[in-house]
Amino acid sequence: MWRKSGTWLGLMLLLSVLSGCNVTESTFARTASNAGSAFAAAATTLTYAHEDKITYAYAASSFVNFQSELSGTDQALTAQSAVDTRTLHHLLTLYKPAIQVINAPCLSGACNWRSQIEVLNRASQALLKAGNS
Amino acid sequence: MKKQWLSIALGVVTAIGGFLDAGTVATAGEAGAKFGLGLIWAILAATLAVMLLVEMVGRFTAVSKKTYADAIREDFGFRFYLLPLTSELIAESLLLAAEIGGVAIALSLFTGIPWHTLFPFVALFIWILAWRAPFDLIENGPALLGLVTLSFLAGIVALGGIPAHLLPTLWHPNFQRGSVADYLYLVAAIIGSTISPYLLYFYSSGAREERWSRRSLVLNRVTAIVGMGFGSIGSMALLVLGAIVLQPLQISSNTLGELGLAMAKPFGITGSFLFASALFATCLGAALEVLLAVSYNIAQGFGWEWGENKKPVEAARFNLVMTIFLLIAAAIGLIGIDPLQLALFASTVIALFLPISLSPFLILMNDPQYLGNKTNGRFTNIAVICILLLAFLVALVSLPLEIITGGG
């Protein structure tokens, strides 16, 4: 009984030490960083697809995974918001067009893929900055 | 003599090709993308541990003619045996789901078809292979294909080698604000994914399938040390590629496809296909090994007839367990969790249970009734104690880290 309690106490202590000593990110920072990283990966994937470094199939498959990873990020950011309303609004303003690119990436040469890459990069940079601040 | 050297060469080659799996790919790629070269030491430490453990379990089986699971049940009793078995069932069902997902993602990268759609077909393909294919094909086929992982080394060379600015991250990793927990989490996941107990049960059962004896001890030692040693090169090369290509782009490798971008940069489409092929081969090989390892473990522990070279009707319960376990893993995979996240989670769960699976080693490997004059020496016992201490430490921190990092 005492040993069991001791183990749990140890685990809780470790948990609180790790979370209290700034060795771990807040949930908001983690969500923002992960989304920023995913948008950066999407921008690189789109660039490589148009530079013929990866196939259409490879890019299409990757974007399906980006969709799963990024959908609902706006709600998560709003729910966990640890920043002021203006910053949150700025992030969401950049997120909305970027998620539209994720849902409908321009993988052929018939549309403006360069502007899509810019949209993704802008969202990525803002989210990464919010995650690190 | 010539035949023995051929066996040794094949053993080494399959160990190299079969070293990586979804867990090692996920952890190595993410480690490089987030911390540069700062986690190579964890891969090296885990490789050293797995070399020693594989050598020991192979020696044990070759000399005693008993598998690891057999011996645990015989020496510690049925009640104790249920402990490692239960931990295996929990951890490996998650890992098997991740491996099947890894194969599905690899095929998805080739075809563009979403991996969720391919998942049930991959599960069926794995079941057919495990049901009908002989042991040699399962052991050697995917592992030989897995040699494509050595192309990761070529990728580093084509990118001009390791840039000088990355070298200091070997001893001073890039810690961003609040990323210490991430770092520790990845240490636990790397150790859990490299020292997977399924490997020991599979290796031990494989030695019985191939009727190893004392004459196989050289083959065992060379396979364990040289094969596993070189096998870790693929894992380290992936980490380095992540550090060279993905880290500057601020891509933290949250999906398996992102890792392929690191190979596409130097080699273009060929590079992305090499990555997808490597992912396919390593995850397929690992899925078959995990599936068989669990089925072997249960059949051996319960005293049932077992053997991949036997017809299903001759080892009916062994094959039934295999089918049920695959169905459980497929059900987990069909929930739709990304295979990379699942692989990372499985690696931490494995790390949590490592002490349970590895503790019997210390006693069994010193029992002359099993090993005669081939028991462990002082150095090997000290090494096992160190590995167990490491396993206990990792088990202690893996759960809190999983909670506070949200799974990396």
Side-chain angles (χ1 to χ4, degrees):
Chain A
M1 177 67 188
W2 283 109
R3 197 184 294 170
K4 207 173 175 181
S5 310
T7 309
W8 276 109
L9 197 67
L11 284 175
M12 289 302 118
L13 194 68
L14 186 70
L15 200 73
S16 52
V17 166
L18 288 173
S19 43
C21 296
N22 205 17
V23 293
T24 180
E25 295 171 291
S26 67
T27 316
F28 176 83
R30 178 170 301 283
T31 307
S33 296
N34 285 344
S37 162
F39 281 128
T44 308
T45 304
L46 198 52
T47 308
Y48 280 13
H50 288 282
E51 287 175 354
D52 284 333
K53 283 186 176 168
I54 54 174
T55 58
Y56 176 91
Y58 195 104
S61 164
S62 299
F63 270 92
V64 170
N65 296 329
F66 295 141
Q67 271 176 36
S68 317
E69 199 186 341
L70 288 162
S71 65
T73 300
D74 50 348
Q75 287 152 11
L77 287 172
T78 311
Q80 307 152 355
S81 183
V83 290
D84 57 90
T85 322
R86 202 174 144 197
T87 312
L88 182 65
H89 183 257
H90 175 62
L91 290 177
L92 294 177
T93 310
L94 291 169
Y95 169 83
K96 277 174 192 155
I99 196 69
Q100 282 170 4
V101 173
I102 297 291
N103 291 331
C106 176
L107 295 174
S108 68
C111 40
N112 193 354
W113 56 272
R114 285 192 178 84
S115 70
Q116 288 199 332
I117 289 170
E118 277 173 30
V119 167
L120 291 172
N121 280 330
R122 270 201 297 272
S124 164
Q125 289 308 313
L127 284 160
L128 285 168
K129 195 178 160 194
N132 290 329
S133 61
Chain B
M1 190 65 186
K2 192 180 170 187
K3 198 179 168 190
Q4 194 183 8
W5 280 110
L6 268 175
S7 300
I8 289 174
L10 188 63
V12 170
V13 165
T14 50
I16 295 170
F19 188 90
L20 285 177
D21 67 357
T24 45
V25 167
T27 52
E30 190 165 338
K34 284 185 173 168
F35 298 104
L37 309 180
L39 280 163
I40 278 198
W41 69 267
I43 297 180
L44 284 172
T47 304
L48 200 62
V50 86
M51 274 159 57
L52 281 163
L53 293 171
V54 165
E55 190 281 328
M56 279 189 264
V57 84
R59 173 158 45 96
F60 182 88
T61 308
V63 176
S64 70
K65 306 276 193 321
K66 285 183 190 300
T67 64
Y68 187 43
D70 267 341
I72 292 176
R73 192 200 148 158
E74 192 177 278
D75 215 58
F76 296 83
F78 186 71
R79 276 187 166 182
F80 179 86
Y81 158 79
L82 290 176
L83 266 179
L85 177 68
T86 310
S87 67
E88 273 297 281
L89 287 176
I90 297 169
E92 308 304 357
S93 56
L94 294 169
L95 187 62
L96 181 56
E99 305 294 354
I100 300 170
V103 179
I105 286 202
L107 292 174
S108 166
L109 293 173
F110 277 116
T111 59
I113 301 168
W115 71 268
H116 308 90
T117 312
L118 294 166
F119 189 93
F121 298 101
V122 172
L124 182 67
F125 175 61
I126 286 168
W127 179 77
I128 292 168
L129 272 181
W131 185 264
R132 298 304 300 170
F135 183 80
D136 281 352
L137 181 70
I138 286 177
E139 189 193 24
N140 301 328
L144 287 172
L145 284 175
L147 286 175
V148 75
T149 53
L150 294 177
S151 66
F152 298 157
L153 270 182
I156 296 171
V157 174
L159 287 164
I162 301 174
H165 73 268
L166 267 182
L167 290 175
T169 61
L170 266 173
W171 56 90
H172 192 271
N174 303 323
F175 283 118
Q176 293 202 333
R177 192 168 163 268
S179 63
V180 176
D182 261 351
Y183 179 84
L184 295 173
Y185 172 77
L186 276 171
V187 171
I190 286 172
I191 290 170
S193 64
T194 311
I195 317 176
S196 260
Y198 84 81
L199 191 66
L200 306 177
Y201 291 109
F202 181 78
Y203 192 82
S204 169
S205 306
R208 285 301 300 135
E209 294 262 23
E210 292 176 342
R211 304 193 185 286
W212 279 15
S213 64
R214 279 175 177 261
R215 280 188 297 178
S216 315
L217 289 177
V218 177
L219 166 66
N220 172 52
R221 186 163 287 189
V222 176
T223 304
I225 297 172
V226 182
M228 293 291 159
F230 276 102
S232 66
I233 288 174
S235 188
M236 284 187 275
L238 202 52
L239 181 146
V240 173
L241 278 173
I244 298 175
V245 180
L246 303 183
Q247 198 179 30
L249 295 167
Q250 297 184 294
I251 298 173
S252 57
S253 181
N254 290 330
T255 60
L256 285 167
E258 289 170 42
L259 276 170
L261 299 175
M263 282 292 282
K265 185 170 183 185
F267 297 128
I269 287 175
T270 310
S272 64
F273 280 164
L274 282 171
F275 172 77
S277 308
L279 188 64
F280 175 81
T282 54
C283 292
L284 177 65
L288 288 165
E289 287 181 11
V290 173
L291 182 57
L292 283 177
V294 170
S295 314
Y296 282 139
N297 191 343
I298 294 175
Q300 289 158 8
F302 282 80
W304 300 336
E305 199 65 41
W306 60 273
E308 188 55 15
N309 290 327
K310 288 184 175 146
K311 287 180 186 166
V313 72
E314 293 167 352
R317 281 181 283 196
F318 167 73
N319 282 281
L320 180 67
V321 166
M322 197 160 69
T323 307
I324 293 171
F325 187 63
L326 183 66
L327 283 172
I328 292 169
I332 294 170
L334 285 171
I335 295 171
I337 304 168
D338 183 81
L340 185 138
Q341 299 307 323
L342 201 54
L344 282 171
F345 181 57
S347 300
T348 34
V349 174
I350 289 169
L352 180 70
F353 292 135
L354 260 186
I356 299 172
S357 305
L358 301 185
S359 298
F361 258 100
L362 201 56
I363 293 155
L364 291 175
M365 293 309 296
N366 286 292
D367 191 339
Q369 278 190 327
Y370 287 115
L371 285 154
N373 61 349
K374 295 290 177 189
T375 51
N376 273 359
R378 187 182 293 172
F379 166 78
T380 337
N381 277 332
I382 292 171
V384 175
I385 291 169
C386 290
I387 294 169
L388 278 173
L389 287 175
L390 180 73
F392 273 110
L393 188 69
V394 166
L396 191 70
V397 299
S398 59
L399 194 61
L401 287 171
E402 174 70 40
I403 296 167
I404 61 177
T405 64

